[in-house]
Amino acid sequence: MKETRPFRSENPAEAPRPGASWKSSLLTWSGALAAAALIVVPLWMLLGNPAVLGGHPALPTLLVTALAAGILWALSLIRHRELTKEPQPRTYRRRGDASTWRLVRGIAGRLTVLGIMAALLWLNPFPHQPEPGQALPATATTSSTEDATSITLAPAGTAATGLVFYPGARVDAHAYQDLLQPLAAAGHLVIILKAPLGVSLLDTNQARAAMNRHPEIGSWAVGGHSLGGVSAAAFAASNPDVAGLLLFASYPAANMADAPNLSVLSISGSNDGLSTPDKISASRALLPPTTTFATVQGGVHAFFGDYGEQPGDGEPGTTREQAQQQIVAESLRFMDRLRTSG
């Protein structure tokens, strides 16, 4: 019986390279993981958090783009898998094998995609979560309108003063409606901004467009919570037509002590674990000497809005309702003084 010799290609270049199959498999499975992340993360955020679609359109647009990229990538992987199931010439299989350089580039790209998905997860906003029975009552003397970039609370009559408010980082703009509605009921126009991607520092000048839509307002204040207060302070410092600055558990990033004509109210919580009392105390040197400081005893960072608890915050020593009553009272006095002086 004649012994059968193993097949050897006459062209060495057509021979499959050792170790190429595991590289291709690694690229395929890591690609499937990245494509799944591009699909699952946007769907989870879009369908599971109403604050995403109710906020600034930048985040939903980014999520939809990621979702489309994930679907296309998944379809490409499926098509590639179907092609590799069909009998192909040895030269086709050789070209399909992955080189070390292709493997490195592919893994780096997939890790980048996973990093972007992690960043999108971090951008998932804190939704509006009013506690039952503790939301401040609305009145029939105000109206509320909403567009893609802001929420406007308008008094029944003509307002002479207005407040443009920057939300805290990743906090739903709706979480400040109940807290600021009494200001509108008292005759002040209130505009709550929806920050792009939930980070107001991406557009610190966003208040300008809101102000330009209301030329009837004679005296403007800007305000903000936490990182939103940093943006409001930056806007007030560079816009001399701003008469007041309202800080909720916040402080400026730069020195504003040379702005004596700017009225400033800083309200903070004694138990705040993020904008701590020490940080608020240190900010005194950055603000005008006429700044008024008010402390909510037992108040924490998350009491300056209705969005539930916040990681890293302190333990409250009072109720949310009691804290917000003081926040509203101090804010009303500030806006009323602004109206009188204007």
Side-chain angles (χ1 to χ4, degrees):
M1 181 176 179
K2 187 175 181 180
E3 183 179 354
T4 304
R5 299 177 61 188
F7 172 80
R8 294 183 181 273
S9 172
E10 295 181 359
N11 184 359
E14 294 182 1
R17 292 170 295 177
S21 58
W22 72 265
K23 296 176 183 177
S24 297
S25 297
L26 181 58
L27 283 176
T28 299
W29 287 109
S30 60
L33 176 63
L38 282 167
I39 295 172
V40 173
V41 170
L43 279 177
W44 179 73
M45 291 175 64
L46 287 167
L47 300 179
N49 190 345
V52 173
L53 292 176
H56 192 285
L59 182 57
T61 299
L62 191 59
L63 291 173
V64 170
T65 302
L67 176 61
I71 293 174
L72 290 176
W73 195 346
L75 291 175
S76 175
L77 289 172
I78 293 172
R79 180 175 181 274
H80 176 75
R81 184 174 179 81
E82 291 300 320
L83 285 175
T84 56
K85 286 181 179 179
E86 299 176 5
Q88 300 290 340
R90 184 177 295 275
T91 54
Y92 178 90
R93 292 198 304 270
R94 183 181 63 82
R95 289 196 298 267
D97 291 339
S99 66
T100 300
W101 173 236
R102 180 186 168 198
L103 176 67
V104 170
R105 286 189 294 113
I107 294 300
R110 286 151 175 77
L111 289 176
T112 300
V113 169
L114 293 176
I116 293 172
M117 291 302 99
L120 283 177
L121 279 173
W122 182 84
L123 290 173
N124 197 34
F126 296 101
H128 180 206
Q129 297 181 43
E131 293 189 8
Q134 290 192 343
L136 296 171
T139 70
T141 60
T142 62
S143 62
S144 174
T145 57
E146 183 175 347
D147 58 30
T149 59
S150 64
I151 301 169
T152 301
L153 308 176
T158 301
T161 51
L163 170 68
V164 183
F165 192 85
Y166 291 82
R170 301 181 295 140
V171 179
D172 185 0
H174 299 85
Y176 301 96
Q177 275 189 268
D178 290 335
L179 194 60
L180 297 177
Q181 188 273 335
L183 276 64
H188 308 286
L189 178 71
V190 177
I191 302 174
I192 308 170
L193 299 175
K194 299 178 181 180
L197 302 183
V199 181
S200 60
L201 288 180
L202 295 177
D203 187 7
T204 58
N205 203 45
Q206 192 179 2
R208 176 54 59 190
M211 293 165 61
N212 289 342
R213 291 198 298 268
H214 296 276
E216 74 279 6
I217 300 298
S219 186
W220 281 104
V222 292
H225 172 218
S226 192
L227 188 65
V230 177
S231 299
F235 182 84
S238 58
N239 291 270
D241 57 335
V242 174
L245 173 63
L246 179 60
L247 298 174
F248 283 2
S250 185
Y251 44 86
N255 193 345
M256 302 178 63
D258 58 349
N261 296 325
L262 181 68
S263 298
V264 182
L265 171 61
S266 172
I267 311 175
S268 58
S270 65
N271 291 20
D272 194 325
L274 299 172
S275 297
T276 63
D278 288 342
K279 293 178 181 179
I280 297 298
S281 179
S283 73
R284 289 176 178 268
L286 301 176
L287 291 166
T290 57
T291 298
T292 301
F293 289 86
T295 302
V296 179
Q297 294 300 322
V300 295
H301 203 74
F303 281 179
F304 289 86
D306 294 317
Y307 58 94
E309 298 180 355
Q310 187 165 354
D313 205 354
E315 289 294 327
T318 185
T319 66
R320 180 182 296 270
E321 184 179 17
Q322 291 173 337
Q324 291 189 348
Q325 285 175 352
Q326 184 177 344
I327 294 168
V328 168
E330 295 287 353
S331 301
L332 272 174
R333 279 193 288 269
F334 173 74
M335 291 301 296
D336 288 344
R337 285 196 303 267
L338 195 67
R339 177 166 52 194
T340 303
S341 61

